[in-house]
Amino acid sequence: MAQIRPLSAELQKIACEDLGEVPARIPEDLVALKLWIQQQPHLHSRTDDQFLIQFLRGCKHSLERAKEKLDHFYALRTKYPETFCATNIDDPKFRAYFDQGVVLPLPTPLNDCGPRILFARFNYSTDQDIEKVLLPLNAMKENFMMNDPYAGIHGIVYVTDLAKATTGHLLQLTPGTVKRLMTYYEKSVPLRIKALCYINAPAAAEQFFKLLLSCISDKLKKRVVICSKDISKIYDHIPQKYLPEEYGGSNGSLDKVCADYHKVWDESREYFKQNSEYGTDERLRPGKPLDFDGVFGTGGSFRKINVD
């Protein structure tokens, strides 16, 4: 029997209807995925059921897509550990980066039983390395994979406040950095992105949005919502009550959310310590080597963005 946490009846219904989940088939699919992992000389992966089931769910139970996503997940973490692979979440620097509250998960999911909402702000000094600033976010997503059924089944909605985004912040988001991040989130992390909402967007951010749209899939482009000072324009996508208290909502205080999340880090320290044991050895990869330059190329055309 598969060792996975049971879902609520409502979430299980969504998993079956939207993700094609067939509970009776899960043990067989997990065995097949574990066998494939054992046969890959270059891949050192976790094989616990709760971890692997999220790759199946994140790929709508396509075994072949789950294999590809799992391989990418570990390959990119091995290539860029400073951004994607947290191993010591008790490191004071890690906690200090997190305490800035750059990206925080709001306590109530959208529509009470929908996607997890991640709220982001550009409230950090540009003297800091953007890769290290984002490491807590990427570690947080691993926590979602293991412990958050709303993110696991429904996915994630991002709400990003650009009010404090300076030219320095935007210059840190180079084509290579944005491409690397979006490739990791779309092709590697088995959590579906349901929307990218940007509020308080300054005119200076236009180039950033052109770059962003050049780095994401056509499917995700349709889920990008941009507004300037009138944040009510996102209420059709994110009703106001699901925003933080600081933004007129009732979905927690950002300072309290940040303080409370340290308990989550404390409870998951052993999981992250084990991350050092996993990854890929590209020298042992069968067949054609993974083309990192191709994966993170900056191709794609820019198109005009209108900020409402």
Side-chain angles (χ1 to χ4, degrees):
M1 181 176 292
Q3 299 299 308
I4 59 176
R5 294 185 183 88
L7 298 172
S8 68
E10 186 173 7
L11 285 175
Q12 186 62 71
K13 183 174 184 288
I14 296 297
C16 293
E17 293 179 352
D18 290 0
L19 306 182
E21 183 159 302
V22 180
R25 200 179 66 205
I26 287 175
E28 177 184 344
D29 286 347
L30 288 172
V31 168
L33 191 51
K34 290 176 187 179
L35 179 60
W36 175 81
I37 292 170
Q38 292 172 4
Q39 294 170 340
Q40 307 310 304
H42 70 291
L43 178 61
H44 304 279
S45 169
R46 293 179 184 273
T47 56
D48 47 299
D49 292 347
Q50 190 65 46
F51 178 77
L52 295 180
I53 188 62
Q54 189 54 50
F55 281 87
L56 290 170
R57 287 171 171 164
C59 297
K60 295 191 174 182
H61 287 272
S62 164
L63 190 57
E64 293 309 308
R65 286 177 56 208
K67 292 174 184 177
E68 180 180 12
K69 183 158 283 200
L70 181 63
D71 193 6
H72 261 124
F73 179 81
Y74 277 118
L76 301 188
R77 286 157 56 92
T78 302
K79 180 75 171 177
Y80 305 101
E82 67 282 355
T83 307
F84 301 129
C85 189
T87 56
N88 180 11
I89 60 172
D90 287 325
D91 182 343
K93 291 182 180 179
F94 177 93
R95 297 287 181 127
Y97 283 122
F98 172 74
D99 275 336
Q100 296 177 115
V102 176
V103 185
L104 294 169
L106 301 186
T108 303
L110 185 62
N111 302 321
D112 297 334
C113 189
R116 179 64 60 192
I117 304 169
L118 278 177
F119 197 91
R121 299 170 289 177
F122 282 78
N123 60 341
Y124 64 93
S125 167
T126 54
D127 293 337
Q128 300 173 58
D129 184 343
I130 183 65
E131 312 285 350
K132 295 177 181 177
V133 170
L134 291 174
L135 183 59
L137 163 63
N138 296 320
M140 193 184 301
K141 289 184 176 181
E142 287 193 71
N143 273 329
F144 291 169
M145 287 166 53
M146 299 298 291
N147 302 306
D148 187 340
Y150 298 105
I153 300 302
H154 284 287
I156 297 173
V157 167
Y158 294 83
V159 180
T160 301
D161 181 6
L162 292 167
K164 295 184 178 180
T166 66
T167 300
H169 286 114
L170 298 176
L171 288 174
Q172 285 185 318
L173 297 171
T174 64
T177 296
V178 174
K179 181 68 175 178
R180 183 160 63 249
L181 291 171
M182 296 314 301
T183 298
Y184 184 69
Y185 298 153
E186 280 203 86
K187 296 182 182 292
S188 304
V189 177
L191 299 169
R192 296 183 297 157
I193 301 174
K194 303 303 291 183
L196 295 170
C197 300
Y198 295 89
I199 60 176
N200 295 315
E206 182 171 349
Q207 286 300 115
F208 162 71
F209 289 120
K210 288 181 179 179
L211 172 59
L212 175 70
L213 289 183
S214 76
C215 294
I216 61 178
S217 66
D218 290 339
K219 181 179 180 180
L220 188 53
K221 286 175 185 176
K222 298 175 183 178
R223 300 177 180 179
V224 176
V225 180
I226 305 168
C227 66
S228 52
K229 294 188 181 300
D230 183 7
I231 69 171
S232 66
K233 291 183 180 296
I234 72 164
Y235 292 168
D236 287 343
H237 306 273
I238 315 286
Q240 185 176 13
K241 72 174 185 176
Y242 293 103
L243 294 177
E245 294 173 7
E246 292 86 343
Y247 293 78
S250 55
N251 204 356
S253 157
L254 292 173
D255 285 345
K256 187 173 188 305
V257 169
C258 187
D260 289 348
Y261 204 81
H262 280 281
K263 182 179 179 181
V264 178
W265 293 131
D266 293 342
E267 292 172 347
S268 57
R269 60 169 52 92
E270 291 303 318
Y271 170 93
F272 286 100
K273 284 181 182 178
Q274 294 167 7
N275 270 348
S276 61
E277 303 172 15
Y278 305 112
T280 62
D281 185 341
E282 295 302 319
R283 297 170 299 178
L284 301 178
R285 179 181 291 275
K288 187 178 180 181
L290 188 64
D291 180 10
F292 286 103
D293 291 335
V295 169
F296 295 127
T298 55
S301 58
F302 288 165
R303 72 180 196 187
K304 178 67 177 176
I305 305 297
N306 292 314
V307 179
D308 295 326

